[in-house]
Amino acid sequence: MYRIYRLTNILFGRYKNNMKLRELLTGLDYSLVSGDIETEICDLVYDSRKVKKNTVFFCIPGTKVDGHRFAQDAVDNKAVALVVSEDVSVPSDITVIKVKSVRYALAVMSAAFFGHPAKRIKLIGITGTKGKTSTSFMIKDIIDRSGHDCGIIGTIGAMWKDNKVKTSLTTPESYVIHSLLKRMADDGCEYVVMEVSSQALMLERTAGIEFDVAIFTNFSPDHIGEGEHSSLSEYRMYKEKLFTQSKIGIFNVDDEVADSFIQHSECQDNYTFGQSKDADLSAYDIVKWSGGGRLGISFSMKGMMDSDISLCIPGLFNVYNAMAAILTCHILGIDTGIILSVLKDVRILGRVELVCVSDDYSVVIDYAHNEVSTRSVLLTLKEYEPNHLISVYGAGGNRSKLRRYDMGEVTGELCDLCILTCDNPRDEEVSDINQDIKVGLARSNGRFVEIEDRVDALEYAFRHAEKGDIIVLLGKGHEDYMEIKGVKYHYDEREAIREAYARISGE
């Protein structure tokens, strides 16, 4: 059972010890505007509300708020040093360090503050539009089974041994990354798998870290717009940056931009996987299978490994995720038998996750909560030619109505029945949210029913399911809460499935 932590001073406090500012500036190009680098420091802070006595405050220029505006506030709260990229007006006894990039400085100084923990661990970085979470969990499971402890940092937080830390970003801020790496290293982890987002690379959260292995899963349009990337080429450029700070690069050679990633790689060695015969690890004879409420896919491999494997998770994309994990672990020297035995039974939390309750129909949990991800998972499930495809979902409150329209349209187009229910309504009424979803359903003439309680909605789906049907639960995925009117109540899809099925099986 995981011990759950949040990102608070309690989590990181055990590592805080006083250091000279000079020690934190080693290797950083800077100018001393005022003050003294022999100043003693107890912590690094980039949120002015968390400044305390003897801390360094980093004036990070944000897209909406510039941290330089809070320089005097930080001083008033007893910060003894500021890291800036612009001139600030503060008392002359305050140490002011001027750098080209405050974010880069935060990354370098955080690494030093926590004792350079990345150097104590073999790091595996994964970037790509899709597949990062699934691939990272496959790798973690294989490494753990091989007898080595592996941590993970990504979309669902940070996990290692019996610890779980909730994080707000796929790739956390550099200070958080290094604090987590220190905890993992101190707890005996030899490996860490990290999802590395394009935003993290653009904002220098992983600056100064050398990855032992970097993986490219795939590339498609995403994260373009205000506060993200200005263009598709910029989005790709930042993803490619991961391969300028890694020893070994692993690439999905079937992706149409793979050549660009490989050309920009500065890795010592590059390896490829895919269906291409020229790949270092090539997949062939790919077959989808189903039966007894299960869905899966089997394939053979040749090249660096000659083996057959059957996955108990559906979708061609999981062939690619598995191959990335297989090639990575093979390069790391893990026994082939261990790799194949782990993947045979692999389950990825909230990613086309099968929950077996009946031999007659399949139940799938997926985190999809926008049009692109929903269309992807529904098309994947339709490839298994279900008798009926039934979706159970809602939409998040206090979020874009456009997303609701699009979700309604795509589910109406691809599903035989949509059961509209609750999904983090936040400050809105579930009925109002579902009214917006119905706008999209009307566009595609989708058939639907409304059942506000999510467990009741699942019960309805199970009662009306027929042999060969697939029921897909969209939106919640790995989440373990339902947010209603400012309160997060415990909710887990797996528990809800068992409760709903128990109602009909116990009759």
Side-chain angles (χ1 to χ4, degrees):
M1 194 69 171
Y2 285 105
R3 293 197 300 267
I4 308 296
Y5 299 91
R6 293 186 182 275
L7 299 182
T8 64
N9 289 336
I10 293 174
L11 172 60
F12 301 123
R14 73 175 71 180
Y15 300 126
K16 295 179 182 176
N17 49 48
N18 291 352
M19 301 177 69
K20 297 290 187 183
L21 180 57
R22 169 181 44 78
E23 299 176 74
L24 303 178
L25 295 171
T26 302
L28 184 66
D29 187 12
Y30 70 93
S31 59
L32 179 63
V33 177
S34 62
D36 183 0
I37 62 171
E38 295 300 321
T39 299
E40 198 166 78
I41 301 300
C42 73
D43 202 3
L44 315 182
V45 179
Y46 47 94
D47 181 339
S48 61
R49 295 166 297 182
K50 298 180 180 179
V51 172
K52 295 181 180 179
K53 185 178 180 181
N54 294 336
T55 55
V56 180
F57 177 62
F58 291 78
C59 299
I60 296 176
T63 55
K64 295 181 180 179
V65 179
D66 188 343
H68 292 83
R69 288 173 45 193
F70 303 102
Q72 186 59 52
D73 290 343
V75 171
D76 292 342
N77 288 324
K78 308 301 182 183
V80 293
L82 303 175
V83 178
V84 304
S85 57
E86 301 173 8
D87 292 337
V88 293
S89 180
V90 294
S92 59
D93 61 328
I94 299 299
T95 300
V96 177
I97 303 295
K98 194 169 187 179
V99 295
K100 182 178 181 180
S101 167
V102 178
R103 284 191 173 276
Y104 180 82
L106 176 61
V108 171
M109 293 172 70
S110 293
F113 183 73
F114 288 103
H116 299 283
K119 296 180 179 180
R120 299 165 53 195
I121 294 176
K122 286 188 180 297
L123 277 175
I124 302 159
I126 306 178
T127 198
T129 305
K130 300 174 184 176
K132 297 187 294 295
T133 300
S134 295
T135 303
S136 62
F137 270 89
M138 290 179 180
I139 293 171
K140 173 178 165 48
D141 287 351
I142 293 169
I143 292 175
D144 282 341
R145 185 79 65 85
S146 73
H148 303 276
D149 289 319
C150 182
I152 194 167
I153 300 173
T155 304
I156 70 167
M159 298 167 58
W160 73 101
K161 294 190 174 181
D162 59 349
N163 302 289
K164 184 174 182 180
V165 175
K166 292 187 177 182
T167 57
S168 58
L169 300 167
T170 294
T171 313
E173 191 53 80
S174 56
Y175 176 94
V176 178
I177 289 174
H178 289 286
S179 64
L180 289 169
L181 291 179
K182 178 169 176 56
R183 286 204 63 188
M184 293 176 181
D186 287 351
D187 282 350
C189 288
E190 299 174 61
Y191 296 84
V192 172
V193 188
M194 186 189 306
E195 295 182 46
V196 185
S197 67
S198 57
Q199 283 279 297
L201 290 160
M202 180 175 72
L203 298 177
E204 301 182 288
R205 295 177 196 150
T206 60
I209 294 176
E210 183 180 53
F211 291 86
D212 293 275
V213 180
I215 302 167
F216 164 64
T217 59
N218 51 61
F219 183 84
S220 59
D222 201 0
H223 300 294
I224 311 299
E226 185 179 355
E228 295 191 279
H229 298 291
S230 61
S231 65
L232 197 61
S233 60
E234 182 188 278
Y235 176 46
R236 187 185 70 238
M237 177 189 72
Y238 279 112
K239 285 196 171 295
E240 291 172 345
K241 188 177 178 181
L242 177 62
F243 300 90
T244 67
Q245 57 188 96
S246 305
K247 297 176 184 177
I248 295 173
I250 295 177
F251 304 88
N252 171 7
V253 73
D254 292 347
D255 193 276
E256 61 182 17
V257 300
D259 286 346
S260 176
F261 273 78
I262 295 171
Q263 288 168 10
H264 288 91
S265 169
E266 296 178 14
C267 299
Q268 298 167 15
D269 296 293
N270 294 319
Y271 299 91
T272 59
F273 66 91
Q275 295 187 64
S276 169
K277 294 180 180 178
D278 296 327
D280 293 306
L281 184 64
S282 178
Y284 64 100
D285 288 347
I286 300 172
V287 178
K288 294 182 287 291
W289 58 265
S290 61
R294 296 177 179 272
L295 306 170
I297 196 160
S298 301
F299 61 99
S300 298
M301 296 175 288
K302 60 183 177 182
M304 292 184 71
M305 288 177 63
D306 293 304
S307 302
D308 302 322
I309 187 168
S310 183
L311 305 174
C312 288
I313 46 177
L316 178 61
F317 56 85
N318 273 316
V319 172
Y320 284 89
N321 295 337
M323 290 186 72
I326 290 167
L327 185 51
T328 299
C329 292
H330 177 75
I331 290 169
L332 291 174
I334 296 175
D335 180 76
T336 300
I338 292 173
I339 295 172
L340 299 181
S341 66
V342 171
L343 290 181
K344 178 172 62 71
D345 299 316
V346 74
R347 181 176 70 96
I348 311 300
L349 196 67
R351 268 63 179 179
V352 285
E353 176 189 352
L354 280 158
V355 180
C356 295
V357 293
S358 171
D359 291 339
D360 292 332
Y361 53 83
S362 303
V363 180
V364 178
I365 298 172
D366 197 88
Y367 186 52
H369 54 279
N370 59 33
E371 190 273 339
V372 173
S373 57
T374 298
R375 182 176 294 278
S376 176
V377 70
L378 294 182
L379 288 174
T380 292
L381 296 176
K382 283 186 78 69
E383 290 177 356
Y384 287 81
E385 300 180 353
N387 181 29
H388 301 102
L389 181 57
I390 302 167
S391 59
V392 181
Y393 70 98
N398 307 108
R399 298 293 187 268
S400 169
K401 289 193 174 188
L402 181 61
R403 177 177 290 183
R404 301 172 192 176
Y405 303 153
D406 292 344
M407 283 279 287
E409 185 170 4
V410 69
T411 53
E413 173 192 343
L414 297 175
C415 295
D416 298 288
L417 174 65
C418 303
I419 304 175
L420 306 187
T421 187
C422 183
D423 179 350
N424 293 339
R426 299 185 176 88
D427 297 324
E428 293 190 66
E429 297 299 325
V430 175
S431 57
D432 293 337
I433 294 171
N434 289 343
Q435 194 63 39
D436 291 332
I437 294 174
K438 286 187 283 186
V439 173
L441 283 163
R443 295 173 181 169
S444 51
N445 296 315
R447 180 171 168 242
F448 69 91
V449 296
E450 290 182 78
I451 303 174
E452 184 166 316
D453 183 88
R454 199 166 176 106
V455 179
D456 291 345
L458 294 175
E459 180 185 352
Y460 181 92
F462 297 157
R463 286 189 183 280
H464 292 81
E466 299 176 3
K467 189 175 182 62
D469 287 354
I470 297 178
I471 301 169
V472 57
L473 288 56
L474 300 168
K476 297 300 295 176
H478 61 272
E479 291 180 349
D480 58 2
Y481 65 88
M482 187 81 74
E483 186 175 351
I484 304 171
K485 305 296 183 184
V487 179
K488 288 187 176 181
Y489 299 92
H490 175 74
Y491 175 86
D492 184 282
E493 289 278 52
R494 293 138 214 87
E495 295 172 9
I497 288 169
R498 288 193 291 270
E499 180 182 343
Y501 191 74
R503 294 179 185 176
I504 64 173
S505 61
E507 293 177 351

